[in-house]
Amino acid sequence: MEQLNLYPVAIKVQGRRCLVVGGGNVAERKVAGLQECGAEVVLVSPELTPELERLVASGRVIHLNREFEEGDLEGVHLAICATDNKALNREIARLCENRRIPVNVVDNPELSTFFVPSVIRRGPLCIGITTGGNSPLLARRLREELEEHIGPEFGELTLFLGKLRQIIQERFSDPEKRRKIWEKVLPPGFFAHFQKEKMNSWRKQVEECISSPWE
Ligand SMILES: C[C@@]1(CC(=O)O)c2cc3[nH]c(cc4nc(cc5[nH]c(cc(n2)[C@H]1CCC(=O)O)[C@@](C)(CC(=O)O)[C@@H]5CCC(=O)O)C(CC(=O)O)=C4CCC(=O)O)c(CCC(=O)O)c3CC(=O)O
Ligand SMILES: NC(=O)C1=CN([C@@H]2O[C@H](COP(=O)(O)OP(=O)(O)OC[C@H]3O[C@@H](n4cnc5c(N)ncnc54)[C@H](O)[C@@H]3O)[C@@H](O)[C@H]2O)C=CC1
């Protein structure tokens, strides 16, 4: 497989229409990922897995119970071709490319304009792992390995830092001073010492630190 540098981005899909064509196991995984991010998922397929049936019945996914038609691409921000028909997947990819719609073709990395990474989510912290189609299983194994080290406390930590950042930005107008504060809050080697049991005392320390006069 050709060595290609991918430009990683994190896309906001909330409230945006995303099209998934096909109703098998792979489509099911992609629909779940889009739903988790609040996308308006339109699913086109004459057949669905039981899990997709359930989602459709709950009203959380718009289902067009038929084969794909070109008009389905109208108003779509992102498309995923997940049918078991290679020629059809190729054709949808071409139509998307003409319309500049980012497209993921589940059986053809060459035709995909984006890949879906393996994801670790802890609150607002999101880690995506991709091998650019070289080895999806390696991406999964790495995720499983990293998950062991990045517990749910990282979600809490990230939320806390987000709030702290707002406070620091309001309170300190000098960017150099803000940078110094951040160096103190998150010093190099922070993760080696970060323990979830000590989260509360660390938070207190940080809060005291930013409320005390600086310099
Ligand atoms: C190009 C890409 C397009 C896309 O975005 O779909 C693609 C393509 C293909 N996958 C295939 C197979 C498998 N895919 C997985 C799993 C995942 N596949 C995902 C992404 C991607 N898969 C994109 C590249 C991402 C990257 O490289 O980083 C993950 C990360 C995300 C997700 O799908 O949500 C998710 C793991 C989620 C997790 O658990 O963390 C497993 C393992 C398993 O089943 O768990 C296997 C079997 C083992 C193996 O083959 O490695 C086949 C061959 C089918 C065949 O041989 O017939 C193709 C087609 C081809 O390569 O031509
Ligand atoms: N990207 C990935 O992670 C992986 C990709 N694959 C590839 O993905 C493909 C799909 O895999 P599965 O979901 O397991 O297949 P599947 O056979 O379970 O599902 C295919 C779905 O496509 C639908 N479909 C067929 N023609 C259609 C049309 N004209 N319009 C709309 N929907 C149509 C079918 O009704 C069915 O629901 C496989 O061919 C395989 O090569 C397989 C494993 C992993």
Side-chain angles (χ1 to χ4, degrees):
M1 184 168 277
E2 170 193 11
Q3 160 70 43
L4 243 186
N5 280 344
L6 297 168
Y7 185 65
V9 292
I11 303 177
K12 292 181 187 174
V13 293
Q14 176 130 27
R16 300 221 157 102
R17 177 169 295 198
C18 298
L19 182 74
V20 178
V21 186
N25 289 326
V26 176
E28 186 181 305
R29 203 162 67 224
K30 308 294 185 192
V31 168
L34 286 167
Q35 274 231 306
E36 211 180 352
C37 302
E40 179 191 300
V41 180
V42 177
L43 180 61
V44 185
S45 179
E47 282 169 314
L48 297 180
T49 63
E51 174 57 20
L52 284 172
E53 291 274 13
R54 202 186 56 76
L55 268 179
V56 169
S58 74
R60 297 204 289 143
V61 168
I62 302 164
H63 179 212
L64 307 178
N65 190 359
R66 54 163 171 76
E67 298 208 337
F68 169 81
E69 292 170 7
E70 192 173 339
D72 296 338
L73 293 173
E74 208 57 55
V76 162
H77 287 265
L78 188 152
I80 296 180
C81 318
T83 79
D84 51 355
N85 179 334
K86 271 192 176 295
L88 175 68
N89 288 348
R90 176 176 284 275
E91 173 62 7
I92 301 173
R94 194 185 62 80
L95 294 171
C96 287
E97 195 62 301
N98 288 344
R99 289 170 172 72
R100 306 287 186 266
I101 298 172
V103 63
N104 170 245
V105 190
V106 300
D107 62 356
N108 195 325
E110 266 75 37
L111 293 180
S112 299
T113 65
F114 73 93
F115 298 132
V116 180
S118 192
V119 171
I120 301 174
R121 210 180 280 283
R122 303 286 184 254
L125 175 69
C126 176
I127 302 172
I129 304 163
T130 180
T131 69
N134 282 278
S135 175
L137 186 55
L138 173 65
R140 176 183 174 157
R141 292 291 182 246
L142 272 170
R143 166 183 67 78
E144 288 166 348
E145 183 69 31
L146 287 172
E147 271 176 344
E148 299 287 315
H149 304 281
I150 301 174
E153 66 277 11
F154 277 80
E156 201 191 319
L157 172 71
T158 311
L159 278 173
F160 172 73
L161 291 171
K163 286 188 199 134
L164 190 67
R165 191 152 188 272
Q166 268 183 338
I167 297 171
I168 289 175
Q169 272 168 348
E170 281 163 18
R171 202 168 296 170
F172 303 93
S173 55
D174 177 10
E176 186 52 29
K177 196 170 274 180
R178 289 202 293 258
R179 209 187 51 79
K180 275 190 183 156
I181 296 173
W182 281 118
E183 281 292 324
K184 270 208 145 162
V185 173
L186 294 176
F190 170 82
F191 294 104
H193 305 289
F194 178 69
Q195 287 169 316
K196 59 177 183 246
E197 303 77 23
K198 295 195 180 143
M199 173 88 96
N200 284 340
S201 65
W202 175 78
R203 279 173 70 147
K204 259 206 194 91
Q205 242 174 300
V206 168
E207 275 157 355
E208 275 163 22
C209 167
I210 66 151
S211 54
S212 66
W214 276 72
E215 276 156 355

